[in-house]
Amino acid sequence: MRKGMKFEEFVTENAEVELGKLLLSLAEGCKVISHMVNNAGLLDVLGANDTTNVQGEEVQKLDDLTNKILMDYLKASETCAGYVSEENEHQVTLNANGIFTVAADPLDGSSNIEVAAPIGTIFAVNERLSPKGVEVEDRDFLQKGTVTKAAGYFIYGSSTILVMSIGYGVIGFTLNTADNEFYLSHLNITIPAKGKTYSINQGNVEKFDDGLKNFLTHCATIDKETSRPYSLRYIGSMIGDIHRNLLKGGIFIYPANKGETKGKLRLLYECIPMSYITEQAGGEATDGNQRILELQPTGYHERSAIFIGSKNMVQTAMGFLHAMVKQ
Ligand code: AHM
Ligand code: MG
C-alpha cells in the first residue's frame, strides 16, 4: 500500500472481490454527491422538500437526492443485497443475489448544507444473513458493530475525503478534482490517545446529568500539566467534528438528556460506523455504559447516546459520569 495509489487499485489489491465491487460503486455514487454538494448554490438542490422523514425531521432536497443516488449506485454494484438509511423507513432489496447490506446516512449534518460547512455520507456494510435469491430481512441489517464488514464516511469539506476501514486499520483517500479519482492520502490513521478538544452542543447543558456537567467543567478548568482548558469545537455536523478529532485527538459527545438513555444520533447508520472507524484507529466509543459496537440494534432508526474519540478522554469522561473521579 502506498500513498498516491488509486482507490480502485487499493480495492483490487486489498478487498475481497465482492466487497470491492460494492465499495467502488459506493465511491462512484459519492463522487456525484460531492459534485452536487460543492455546486449546491448553482443547482436547484438547496432548501427543504416540504416532507418529513420517518423521524419527523424536515427532509432537505439534498437528503432525498443523495439517498436516491446511493440506492442507484449500490444496486449497480450487484453485490449489495439491501439498503436502509435515515431517509427510508424500511429496508429496500437492491439485488436479491447480493451478499452484503448497507446502512447509510446519505447526507449527515444536512442542516449545514446552506452554509457550506462540512457534511458527509456515513456507511456500514454487513454480510447478509438470509439466503441469497430472496428479499432482504431485518436480521440482515440489525447486527452488532462487532461483526461489521466495512465502514466509513465521505466528508465533503474543503476537500472530499473517504475515510474507511475494512477491518485492518483506517485509511483515507482524497478526491482529486482534476480527474475525479480518489487517491490514497492518509495512511494508517491513528487517533492520539490524548486530545485537547471536546465537541458537544453546550447549549443543552441544563439537560445534562451532573456527571457530564462535571466533565465539562473539568475540560474548561485551567491546569497547565494536562494542557487544560481544552478547546470547545462543535460544528453541528458529526462527520466534521469526528474527522477533526480523529486526526488531532479529542472527544465528541452527544448524550442522552437527564433521566433518558437515548441520545439524538442513530445507532445503525451513525453511531456504529463512526465507532467502528474510531476503534480501528485506536480510540473508544461508548453509550456511557457499554461499548457502542456491542449494542444489539433492535430497530433501524433507534437512537443512542455516544461518547467517542481519544481513549484517555473517553475514559476520563466515563470516570466523571460514573463519579469515580473527583474534580
Ligand atoms: P442529521 O443526520 O439529521 O443531519 O442530524 C445529525 C446531526 C449530526 O451530524 C450532529 O452532530 C448533530 O445532528 C447536531 O445536533 P444538534 O444541532 O442537536 O447539536
Ligand atoms: Mg445524520
Side-chain angles (χ1 to χ4, degrees), residues 86 105 108 266 270:
E86 184 170 331
D105 182 351
D108 182 61
R266 275 52 57 115
E270 292 179 325

Side-chain angles (χ1 to χ4, degrees), residues 57 86 105 107-111 201 204 234 236-239 241 252 254 264-266 270:
E57 299 158 344
E86 184 170 331
D105 182 351
L107 204 59
D108 182 61
S110 54
S111 63
N201 188 340
N204 290 329
Y234 190 75
S237 166
M238 185 195 203
I239 286 195
D241 284 311
F252 171 91
Y254 209 108
K264 169 185 179 184
L265 300 175
R266 275 52 57 115
E270 292 179 325

Side-chain angles (χ1 to χ4, degrees), residues 35-278:
H35 178 81
M36 226 172 228
V37 167
N38 289 157
N39 296 283
L42 304 173
L43 308 169
D44 181 27
V45 294
L46 288 179
N49 240 355
D50 295 330
T51 53
T52 51
N53 66 15
V54 58
Q55 289 138 91
E57 299 158 344
E58 190 177 61
V59 177
Q60 304 289 320
K61 284 185 194 167
L62 266 174
D63 283 328
D64 197 34
L65 277 169
T66 53
N67 192 41
K68 288 184 177 130
I69 290 168
L70 282 193
M71 274 197 283
D72 285 350
Y73 277 84
L74 288 171
K75 187 174 170 60
S77 75
E78 295 177 359
T79 64
C80 181
Y83 174 77
V84 72
S85 85
E86 184 170 331
E87 310 308 328
N88 288 9
E89 184 168 1
H90 303 293
Q91 78 275 27
V92 181
T93 300
L94 297 176
N95 293 289
N97 283 319
I99 57 170
F100 297 111
T101 59
V102 169
D105 182 351
L107 204 59
D108 182 61
S110 54
S111 63
N112 281 320
I113 291 170
E114 297 193 5
V115 297
I119 48 181
T121 301
I122 309 176
F123 66 93
V125 182
N126 275 311
E127 271 170 12
R128 87 183 282 185
L129 300 176
S130 61
K132 278 166 78 170
V134 294
E135 303 266 296
V136 288
E137 300 171 13
D138 286 0
R139 63 182 166 130
D140 297 324
F141 298 88
L142 299 178
Q143 302 189 47
K144 288 185 183 178
T146 45
V147 297
T148 297
K149 186 80 183 159
Y153 58 87
F154 293 80
I155 179 166
Y156 313 113
S158 50
S159 299
T160 291
I161 300 179
L162 159 60
V163 174
M164 58 166 272
S165 175
I166 50 175
Y168 311 102
V170 180
I171 47 176
F173 297 84
T174 300
L175 184 64
N176 180 345
T177 51
D179 64 0
N180 205 32
E181 293 286 350
F182 281 103
Y183 291 92
L184 185 55
S185 50
H186 298 66
L187 270 170
N188 190 23
I189 296 175
T190 49
I191 181 167
K194 291 181 190 168
K196 295 180 191 163
T197 302
Y198 63 114
S199 311
I200 187 166
N201 188 340
Q202 180 93 23
N204 290 329
V205 68
E206 280 307 306
K207 301 178 193 166
F208 299 158
D209 285 332
D210 290 345
L212 178 54
K213 284 184 187 165
N214 290 341
F215 174 65
L216 298 180
T217 305
H218 165 83
C219 291
T221 302
I222 298 173
D223 178 45
K224 259 196 180 163
E225 242 172 64
T226 54
S227 306
R228 284 181 285 140
Y230 301 144
S231 294
L232 172 63
R233 297 276 183 272
Y234 190 75
I235 306 173
S237 166
M238 185 195 203
I239 286 195
D241 284 311
I242 292 185
H243 184 65
R244 182 200 49 247
N245 292 353
L246 194 69
L247 299 180
K248 299 193 178 265
I251 183 169
F252 171 91
I253 303 172
Y254 209 108
N257 291 336
K258 247 181 204 160
E260 294 174 0
T261 53
K262 305 274 179 186
K264 169 185 179 184
L265 300 175
R266 275 52 57 115
L267 179 60
L268 205 60
Y269 41 79
E270 292 179 325
C271 298
I272 287 179
M274 298 311 267
S275 300
Y276 180 81
I277 287 290
T278 299

